[in-house]
Amino acid sequence: MTIIILNPNFAALFLKQKTVDKNSIFGIILIAVIIGVWVYTTSPTQEELLKQKRIRDSIALAEGQKEIQSKITKNEKTSSIISDTFIAENKKNDSTIFVEKQNFYKDFYPVIKGQEKIFTLENEKLKIAFTNKGGRIKQVELKEYYRYEEKEYLKLFNSDSTYYSFIIDAYEKSRVFYTDSFYFNLLLQEKNKIIFRLNTTKEDKYIDFIYTLQPNDYLVKFDIQLHHLNDIISSNTDELFLRWECLMPSQEKHIVKEKEVATIYYKYTDDSPDNMNPINDEEKIINEMPIKWVCFKQQFFNSTIVADKEFMKESSFIKLRTKAEDTLIVKATKAELGIPYAHSPNEVFGMNFYFGPNHYPTLTKYEHWDLQHIIPTGWWIFKYINSGLVIPIFNWLKGIMNFGLVLVILNIIIKIILFPIFYKNYMSGAKMRALKPEIEKINEKYGPKGDPVKKQQETMSLYQRAKANPMMGCLLLLIQFPILIALFNFVPAAIELRQEAFLWADDLSTYDSIWDFGKISVIHSIYGDHVSLFALLMFLSTILYTWINSEMLSPQQNQQVPGMKFMMYFMPVIFLAVMNNYSAGLSWYYFTANILTFGQTYLMKYLIKDGKIRAAIEENLKKPVKVSGFQKRLQGMVKQQEQMKKTKKK
């Protein structure tokens, strides 16, 4: 609760006034309203108060449990001291430890000790190791992928980097148990199914963890079954929790890029997926509505838990933390998700684990989950370019040829699609160059001090009669720009390019380097510690393209945008600094796009002679032209200005 204390002098000064004007009254009312709104908006909601209470209760309970555990541990240490003098005392301590443990764990006392055993399920895509300690998945290997320069299957995570636990609020909130500290019994193991059972002191009270590995898929079905736990689970709770923590191990050649993009995605049942900012450390309560899934997403792989129905929104949260200096761990992630509990004799909560690649066609198979949204295809039109053009071409040519050549094919297809617009753009530029004599005459006629409106009117009339469109070049840029942005988003995240070698690059998904010169202050923060040859070729071809394009512009066009000339040469420099640390595949695409544009331009120049264009313009200039509505309005403005000048002179 926020408490606001007003200065008492304010009221005193107000009472000293003999009369109060309307402005003073309005000001006081406005201040009161602002204070009221501020108090209302900053006060915690009922859900936040309940969350804080649950956290306080959990902390207090944990402290109590730590004290008991400390006492047990102390007695255990004491009992281990073998001495003839204290044998009787040690026997007494052993008995005390036994009683304390039995009193603390109650029905779960039989499962606090055991021997860890590993069990394995395997299909065409996954190899999963389970442990009876916690009845959980201990390690996941992806059989179709490998870490950079390693021959063993890629380990998505192992026992040192992840754990999950079912949290049991027990005995009227006097205990909180975590299943990862208990030993389960193996109840069943088949080719694609394994069942672990957490027994209690009573035969009819137990918890089953049932895992089913789907054939030729990345999915693991996970069901939690609770049997007759009504007198164990606290009667005043309507939800239990599943806690999942993971240290994302580095899987790629350069961990810096992994850290830039690794994050947590989540989806409410009736909303689009959202994500935490990968740059910041953050903890977020996700309680706006019930939750469908939570995804720990790395650059090319992800681990996701999906509820059959939904996780409860109350007190569920996610946490993301960057391991800045760690060269092996990318991010630390955590999720705590509410599971509904209705106090029925037998209850089942079903969910699925997805352990696999961030591969768009694969994720779209689970269309009702919207998992494909974790891949950055871009917004609106960018998304449709990637999903409707780029990804289908990748899938069509995957396995047929090297992806360096696939990017060239993609470029050629896009050039063919845009050729009609390119043709019109080239013809417009050629006509503008052919109109150079007429443009120069207009410039001489009006000079630097001439009427700019009349000059513009006559210039536009010339363009219309010659059927030249000076804005056509902008249209081509407007159409090409979304394609370039779409690829800028998608290509670095495309798993198809992962570990694809081409020419001197051994991995098109990350930067290539022909010279690693090390970290140099200032230079490192702007450019990096290496030289990417693909990025350098892209930069040089862009500069050359800019120069050729500038030479092809008419004098009139160059005069219209004098400041743009500097920007046209400066932007490739900025782009070089960005692309030097970016995907080599993207730099290669931009470079080949420039080369193909050169080819198109010179082909058009060879096929379409300037003499023929000039002859066509002269024919057009002889024809009468119907005056458009815009020109009529422009002529009206000119006449009005002339009339105003005459009036002023009089």
Side-chain angles (χ1 to χ4, degrees):
M1 177 65 71
T2 304
I3 301 174
I4 300 173
I5 302 175
L6 295 177
N7 189 338
N9 294 329
F10 176 81
L13 289 171
F14 176 73
L15 292 172
K16 286 180 182 179
Q17 303 294 327
K18 293 181 179 180
T19 60
V20 181
D21 60 14
K22 292 181 180 179
N23 291 335
S24 299
I25 295 172
F26 178 74
I28 294 166
I29 293 172
L30 183 60
I31 291 170
V33 170
I34 292 171
I35 292 171
V37 171
W38 185 51
V39 171
Y40 176 77
T41 55
T42 56
S43 298
T45 64
Q46 188 65 26
E47 286 184 350
E48 289 171 337
L49 290 172
L50 290 173
K51 170 69 176 177
Q52 292 168 6
K53 184 179 184 301
R54 191 179 77 81
I55 292 172
R56 288 196 298 271
D57 292 345
S58 297
I59 291 172
L61 185 59
E63 291 296 329
Q65 292 183 177
K66 282 181 180 178
E67 186 177 344
I68 293 171
Q69 291 283 17
S70 176
K71 186 176 180 182
I72 291 170
T73 304
K74 183 178 180 181
N75 287 334
E76 283 178 335
K77 288 181 178 179
T78 303
S79 66
S80 65
I81 301 174
I82 306 300
S83 172
D84 293 338
T85 309
F86 298 106
I87 289 176
E89 184 65 26
N90 286 336
K91 286 181 179 179
K92 181 181 177 181
N93 286 338
D94 288 342
S95 177
T96 303
I97 292 167
F98 176 79
V99 172
E100 287 176 345
K101 283 187 176 182
Q102 203 169 39
N103 289 337
F104 179 76
Y105 289 105
K106 294 190 175 183
D107 292 281
F108 291 104
Y109 176 73
V111 295
I112 62 174
K113 286 187 177 181
Q115 183 178 358
E116 185 175 13
K117 297 178 182 179
I118 306 300
F119 308 89
T120 303
L121 291 183
E122 192 170 352
N123 67 8
E124 296 84 351
K125 298 181 181 297
L126 298 176
K127 183 178 180 181
I128 302 178
F130 298 85
T131 173
N132 64 323
K133 187 177 182 183
R136 62 183 179 85
I137 295 172
K138 186 170 185 174
Q139 180 173 283
V140 173
E141 296 178 74
L142 303 183
K143 297 168 67 174
E144 298 170 311
Y145 299 94
Y146 303 88
R147 199 181 181 280
Y148 182 72
E149 292 187 338
E150 290 186 5
K151 295 182 179 180
E152 295 181 352
Y153 295 146
L154 183 143
K155 291 181 177 64
L156 194 59
F157 56 78
N158 55 38
S159 58
D160 296 327
S161 60
T162 190
Y163 91 92
Y164 58 89
S165 183
F166 186 54
I167 304 174
I168 304 169
D169 193 340
Y171 306 116
E172 304 307 322
K173 294 188 177 295
S174 65
R175 307 282 192 280
V176 175
F177 296 126
Y178 297 83
T179 57
D180 70 302
S181 61
F182 295 147
Y183 287 87
F184 287 61
N185 287 334
L186 177 67
L187 191 66
L188 172 72
Q189 183 175 12
E190 297 177 345
K191 182 180 179 181
N192 66 332
K193 188 174 185 178
I194 191 167
I195 301 176
F196 293 102
R197 175 164 292 179
L198 183 64
N199 291 311
T200 66
T201 54
K202 301 177 179 65
E203 289 186 3
D204 64 334
K205 300 178 186 296
Y206 54 85
I207 301 173
D208 283 346
F209 283 3
I210 304 171
Y211 299 92
T212 306
L213 180 59
Q214 305 299 327
N216 197 30
D217 205 342
Y218 298 102
L219 290 185
V220 181
K221 187 73 174 70
F222 177 36
D223 295 314
I224 298 176
Q225 295 185 354
L226 309 177
H227 297 267
H228 301 286
L229 299 181
N230 303 43
D231 59 343
I232 295 178
I233 297 176
S234 301
S235 61
N236 57 349
T237 184
D238 61 353
E239 67 175 330
L240 305 173
F241 288 91
L242 184 70
R243 177 179 292 177
W244 185 17
E245 297 188 37
C246 184
L247 296 175
M248 297 178 175
S250 175
Q251 308 287 10
E252 309 307 324
K253 183 178 179 181
H254 301 296
I255 194 173
V256 174
K257 186 62 179 178
E258 290 183 90
K259 290 186 177 184
E260 289 176 0
V261 298
T263 185
I264 301 177
Y265 275 79
Y266 59 94
K267 183 186 184 303
Y268 295 122
T269 51
D270 298 321
D271 204 357
S272 299
D274 200 355
N275 67 285
M276 303 178 81
N277 189 336
I279 299 175
N280 300 328
D281 290 354
E282 184 181 358
E283 182 172 346
K284 181 180 179 66
I285 297 174
I286 45 177
N287 61 358
E288 294 180 15
M289 60 184 77
I291 303 144
K292 183 63 179 175
W293 53 256
V294 169
C295 169
F296 297 160
K297 184 243 178 190
Q298 292 187 248
Q299 186 176 3
F300 294 117
F301 304 96
N302 76 85
S303 304
T304 302
I305 188 166
V306 187
D308 286 355
K309 293 182 179 178
E310 59 190 32
F311 294 107
M312 296 183 70
K313 64 178 182 177
E314 287 78 10
S315 303
S316 293
F317 72 91
I318 51 179
K319 183 177 181 180
L320 180 69
R321 184 166 58 89
T322 303
K323 309 279 285 184
E325 301 302 323
D326 201 316
T327 58
L328 298 176
I329 300 300
V330 178
K331 295 278 177 73
T333 57
K334 180 179 180 180
E336 192 165 303
L337 303 169
I339 293 177
Y341 181 66
H343 299 273
S344 301
N346 296 293
E347 295 194 26
V348 179
F349 186 83
M351 61 199 103
N352 282 276
F353 283 113
Y354 174 89
F355 300 121
N358 303 336
H359 182 236
Y360 194 88
T362 299
L363 296 180
T364 51
K365 289 197 306 183
Y366 320 108
E367 189 174 358
H368 55 292
W369 292 346
D370 289 335
L371 263 178
Q372 68 273 16
H373 289 285
I374 69 171
I375 299 176
T377 53
W379 299 330
W380 188 51
I381 191 170
F382 310 134
K383 174 183 176 181
Y384 292 112
I385 290 169
N386 282 319
S387 60
L389 177 64
V390 180
I391 294 172
I393 290 174
F394 276 18
N395 292 330
W396 171 43
L397 297 174
K398 183 179 181 181
I400 299 175
M401 61 179 67
N402 183 279
F403 261 92
L405 299 177
V406 171
L407 290 169
V408 176
I409 299 297
L410 174 64
N411 240 320
I412 292 172
I413 291 172
I414 291 174
K415 292 295 182 184
I416 291 172
I417 294 171
L418 296 181
F419 183 76
I421 299 171
F422 175 83
Y423 174 79
K424 289 184 178 181
N425 175 64
Y426 180 85
M427 290 300 294
S428 176
K431 288 178 180 178
M432 295 293 290
R433 290 193 302 275
L435 285 172
K436 181 179 177 181
E438 284 75 11
I439 296 294
E440 288 178 349
K441 288 179 181 178
I442 293 173
N443 290 336
E444 290 176 3
K445 178 179 177 181
Y446 290 96
K449 296 182 180 180
D451 190 330
V453 177
K454 282 187 175 182
K455 180 181 178 181
Q456 183 67 21
Q457 182 186 22
E458 194 168 334
T459 303
M460 293 303 296
S461 175
L462 175 65
Y463 290 156
Q464 187 177 19
R465 287 159 54 208
K467 296 183 179 179
N469 185 357
M471 301 302 294
M472 198 63 203
C474 297
L475 177 62
L476 183 63
L477 288 175
L478 287 173
I479 294 175
Q480 285 182 325
F481 186 72
I483 297 173
L484 296 177
I485 295 299
L487 289 164
F488 189 85
N489 287 326
F490 175 70
V491 169
I495 195 170
E496 291 87 349
L497 300 184
R498 182 180 183 267
Q499 297 181 1
E500 281 287 326
F502 181 67
L503 298 178
W504 55 85
D506 58 0
D507 189 344
L508 286 174
S509 69
T510 188
Y511 62 80
D512 61 298
S513 177
I514 58 169
W515 180 29
D516 294 320
F517 53 80
K519 292 185 178 181
I520 301 174
S521 59
V522 182
I523 294 177
H524 176 263
S525 60
I526 298 173
Y527 182 69
D529 59 359
H530 62 277
V531 175
S532 166
L533 184 54
F534 277 133
L536 193 60
L537 290 173
M538 180 276 301
F539 165 73
L540 294 174
S541 62
T542 304
I543 291 291
L544 182 60
Y545 173 74
T546 302
W547 177 76
I548 292 174
N549 205 41
S550 178
E551 290 297 310
M552 291 177 66
L553 292 176
S554 67
Q556 177 70 8
Q557 288 174 305
N558 280 317
Q559 289 173 10
Q560 287 175 349
V561 283
M564 287 297 293
K565 194 165 185 178
F566 169 77
M567 288 302 299
M568 288 168 65
Y569 285 101
F570 182 69
M571 285 306 296
V573 177
I574 300 297
F575 214 41
L576 173 63
V578 173
M579 297 302 294
N580 191 62
N581 297 288
Y582 225 62
S583 162
L586 189 63
S587 296
W588 168 246
Y589 175 86
Y590 288 160
F591 169 68
T592 53
N594 287 338
I595 297 301
L596 290 172
T597 302
F598 293 152
Q600 277 185 321
T601 302
Y602 282 103
L603 179 63
M604 295 294 291
K605 196 172 183 180
Y606 175 77
L607 296 176
I608 302 172
K609 304 298 182 183
D610 287 352
K612 290 184 178 180
I613 294 174
R614 178 62 194 178
I617 286 176
E618 289 176 353
E619 286 296 322
N620 291 332
L621 292 175
K622 294 175 183 178
K623 297 176 183 178
V625 179
K626 183 180 178 181
V627 179
S628 65
F630 173 74
Q631 281 187 311
K632 287 180 180 178
R633 289 192 294 272
L634 193 60
Q635 289 172 356
M637 290 171 58
V638 172
K639 289 179 180 178
Q640 189 176 4
Q641 285 183 351
E642 289 177 349
Q643 187 65 35
M644 289 174 62
K645 287 179 181 178
K646 290 178 181 179
T647 304
K648 287 180 180 180
K649 287 179 180 179
K650 291 180 180 179

